[in-house]
Amino acid sequence: MAACKELTANLVHDFISSVDTILCDCDGVIWKNNDSIPGAAEALKKLRLKGKRIFFVTNNSTKSRKQYIEKLLNLGFEAYPEEIICTAFAAASYLKHSLKLNGKVYLIGSIGMAEELDLMGIPYFGIGPDPVKSLDMAEWAALPIDNEVKAVLVGFDEHLSYIKLIKAGTYLNDPECAFVATNEDLRYPLGGKIMIPGTGVIVGAVKQAAQREPVVLGKPSKYLFDSIMQSFEGVTPERTVMIGDRLSTDISMGRTCGLKTLLVETGIDTRVDAKENQKSNSIERQKMVPDYFITSLADLGKTL
Ligand SMILES: [Mg+2]
């Protein structure tokens, strides 16, 4: 069982000395929407000065690595392309290197995902609006189908439509057609009165249409950490910490991979949520308990 203790100033030094690699979630940890979280950049800078290797590990599939670098630099963070572990890149990499895909991708996704597929030289189509034009089912039944599609890739798509669900479900009727999803986060953490459905809602719709389960690459899946270990020498679970604001993704992935885990309270979840999970008898909820929690990255930075 994870300790779920506050990372107080007297514990920071030993904790930081016990890791070489830092996996840092983005939304709710280093930024909120388009604003950086105060003190986050300084904290990461101090960790770099102590020789720590940093990776930005995010489920959000709307941006490519290039777009993430631009955002990080604009918000005053130091960052390098190889440090960006985002699901748009992971998806293209998975299709190319793990599946060795020989065919086209039907993409329900973003421009950022398309950019990563282009960089890997993977042919795809499906991006952008594809609205229903009539209520005539005979027209739907006559939709053109491309026999070269060998995978359906699903991420965040602001143009999700009924026609896209018909197409994705049809391609996935072929058991040889791969089904890959970037992540299953159900809501965007924007706050306020409006609820913004996340990629998980889109993946859920495709799953129901296809009557199949996808390979999911984002947290809490192990895929992102496994791919870091494969690509970078010297990264070990014992000497890596996952810092995140969401218990069900960041902390759960960290626990599943055998990493140290630190919850920051600048995003979705708080110590109260973590303690509630700790009290539960459910194995799933026990995975959503961090080793430590701290108010913010800024608080960590102050003691370094
Ligand atoms: Mg987050």
Side-chain angles (χ1 to χ4, degrees), residues 25-29 245-246 250:
D25 177 47
C26 296
D27 243 318
V29 177
D245 67 312
R246 207 190 280 248
D250 303 318

Side-chain angles (χ1 to χ4, degrees), residues 116-174:
E116 296 290 0
L117 290 171
D118 279 332
L119 287 170
M120 291 279 179
I122 299 172
Y124 64 87
F125 66 96
I127 194 165
D130 193 0
V132 170
K133 295 194 180 77
S134 86
L135 279 177
D136 183 355
M137 280 202 194
E139 266 184 42
W140 301 347
L143 282 172
I145 292 302
D146 188 329
N147 290 323
E148 288 175 39
V149 170
K150 299 291 183 234
V152 171
L153 171 58
V154 184
F156 187 76
D157 186 344
E158 70 276 28
H159 301 294
L160 175 70
S161 67
Y162 194 71
I163 294 294
K164 291 192 181 194
L165 289 177
I166 294 175
K167 289 180 181 173
T170 302
Y171 289 123
L172 290 168
N173 258 345
D174 174 1

Side-chain angles (χ1 to χ4, degrees), residues 6 11 31 34 53 56 67-68 89 128 166 189 232 243 273-274 290:
E6 178 155 27
L11 295 174
W31 65 53
N34 295 320
R53 179 144 51 171
F56 299 93
Q67 290 170 313
Y68 272 113
F89 167 68
I166 294 175
F232 298 89
I243 304 178
D273 304 306

